[in-house]
Amino acid sequence: MKLVLATTFAALMAAPAVAQDGDKLKEVLDRGYLILGSGSTNPPWHFMDGDNQLTGFDIDMGRLVAKALFGDPDKIEYVQQSGDARIPNLATGKVDLTCQFMTVTAERAQQVEFTIPYYREGVGLLLMEGGDYADYEALKAGGSDVTVAVLQNVYAEEMVHTALPEATVDQYDSVDLMYQALNSGRAEAAATDQSALRWFMVQNPGRYLDAGYGWNPQTYACAVQPGDQRWLNFVNTVLHEGMTGVEFPFYSASFEKWFGTELESPQIGFPVEYK
């Protein structure tokens, strides 16, 4: 019995040392900069600007974490990665954090730890300002007279018909061709991601409008390597306070810059998360 108790006591005493060895937060703080995995080719999420600097909403989420860590949002080393490298680079420890318009799925959640969401994506309908159809209700009433341009995909027709059951669907093999169809009048609307729609409107003020209807929701979150609850909790705290607390000015300025939408300030008083 004494041997068992001694062994158990020794194991308990050793446990904190093991946890300390796997402390990603301490590792990043000691290193002095955050290693962020993201892409570089998908505005407004992550892309190279005119000065060949990585920018976008995903990049700003990483900068928000760096600001919380070091008081300096630029203390980041970027790892530019393809979409299929997001999970492997976390698994091998090549990056501390991935923010790369990563859709939360149950399958992926078996391989990474997702943070709280920082954006909810969906499909929207882009219209021409001053066109024949002013909004979603007008498009729906137009029935089969309405043609919707969409990026070619095996599910494209089914996706469009979820919102506009009678519309004619024209599929294009590039986003540029889809927008050309809308500009030339060959299509009355273009179905695309809400984020891309908003970004396109920011880039072309006064030319386009949002039909005001979104569907096919999906959640975007950052991700970390599994097994380090302290690091996950820290990143979650940073994102949460960006969306609801002391860092709201940083988050809201980024949201308005990339999506053209001014967010309402979080309600003061009873925390909205618990309503």
Side-chain angles (χ1 to χ4, degrees):
M1 178 63 71
K2 289 183 178 179
L3 178 61
V4 172
L5 289 174
T7 303
T8 302
F9 180 75
L12 289 172
M13 290 299 290
V18 173
Q20 187 67 27
D21 289 344
D23 190 340
K24 173 62 74 171
L25 178 57
K26 182 177 185 302
E27 175 190 328
V28 175
L29 287 170
D30 288 348
R31 185 199 303 134
Y33 59 90
L34 174 72
I35 302 176
L36 178 71
S38 195
S40 60
T41 59
N42 294 280
W45 295 98
H46 40 260
F47 65 104
M48 307 304 292
D49 65 16
D51 297 322
N52 205 36
Q53 299 296 311
L54 202 56
T55 191
F57 193 66
D58 280 335
I59 306 306
D60 282 348
M61 295 305 97
R63 296 179 74 247
L64 183 60
V65 175
K67 184 174 185 286
L69 286 163
F70 308 109
D72 184 348
D74 295 321
K75 286 201 169 183
I76 300 181
E77 177 184 294
Y78 295 106
V79 173
Q80 296 181 35
Q81 58 191 17
S82 60
D84 58 7
R86 291 176 295 190
I87 291 175
N89 282 352
L90 283 171
T92 59
K94 186 174 181 178
V95 301
D96 303 319
L97 175 70
T98 281
C99 298
Q100 193 174 351
F101 64 9
M102 195 171 183
T103 301
V104 176
T105 68
E107 181 181 9
R108 287 173 174 168
Q110 297 173 43
Q111 304 173 74
V112 300
E113 300 265 17
F114 282 112
T115 67
I116 61 172
Y118 62 89
Y119 188 85
R120 179 137 296 124
E121 185 64 279
V123 181
L125 294 162
L126 185 68
L127 307 176
M128 298 297 298
E129 183 76 48
D132 293 335
Y133 299 90
D135 55 24
Y136 170 69
E137 292 302 326
L139 288 171
K140 197 169 183 180
S144 59
D145 290 335
V146 172
T147 297
V148 178
V150 64
L151 191 63
Q152 191 170 18
N153 185 286
V154 65
Y155 303 112
E157 190 155 343
E158 177 185 353
M159 180 191 71
V160 172
H161 284 157
T162 298
L164 298 171
E166 299 176 29
T168 300
V169 180
D170 279 352
Q171 300 188 42
Y172 295 88
D173 59 11
S174 78
V175 172
D176 288 343
L177 291 175
M178 180 184 73
Y179 289 139
Q180 286 178 25
L182 178 64
N183 290 327
S184 67
R186 298 196 308 275
E188 283 71 43
T192 187
D193 288 344
Q194 282 277 0
S195 59
L197 179 155
R198 290 172 176 171
W199 167 248
F200 203 62
M201 290 174 61
V202 167
Q203 297 303 297
N204 301 275
R207 183 170 177 78
Y208 302 98
L209 59 86
D210 183 347
Y213 180 76
W215 73 104
N216 278 18
Q218 54 183 294
T219 299
Y220 287 168
C222 297
V224 300
Q225 188 183 64
D228 191 333
Q229 191 64 44
R230 187 180 183 217
W231 177 236
L232 177 62
N233 289 350
F234 176 80
V235 178
N236 279 341
T237 298
V238 174
L239 293 176
H240 183 271
E241 294 313 300
M243 292 181 282
T244 66
V246 294
E247 290 294 348
F248 179 74
F250 186 106
Y251 180 91
S252 60
S254 176
F255 200 97
E256 184 172 6
K257 177 180 180 179
W258 302 117
F259 305 125
T261 301
E262 184 177 353
L263 299 175
E264 292 185 11
S265 182
Q267 183 177 339
I268 295 171
F270 189 79
V272 67
E273 299 91 324
Y274 300 105
K275 284 190 175 182

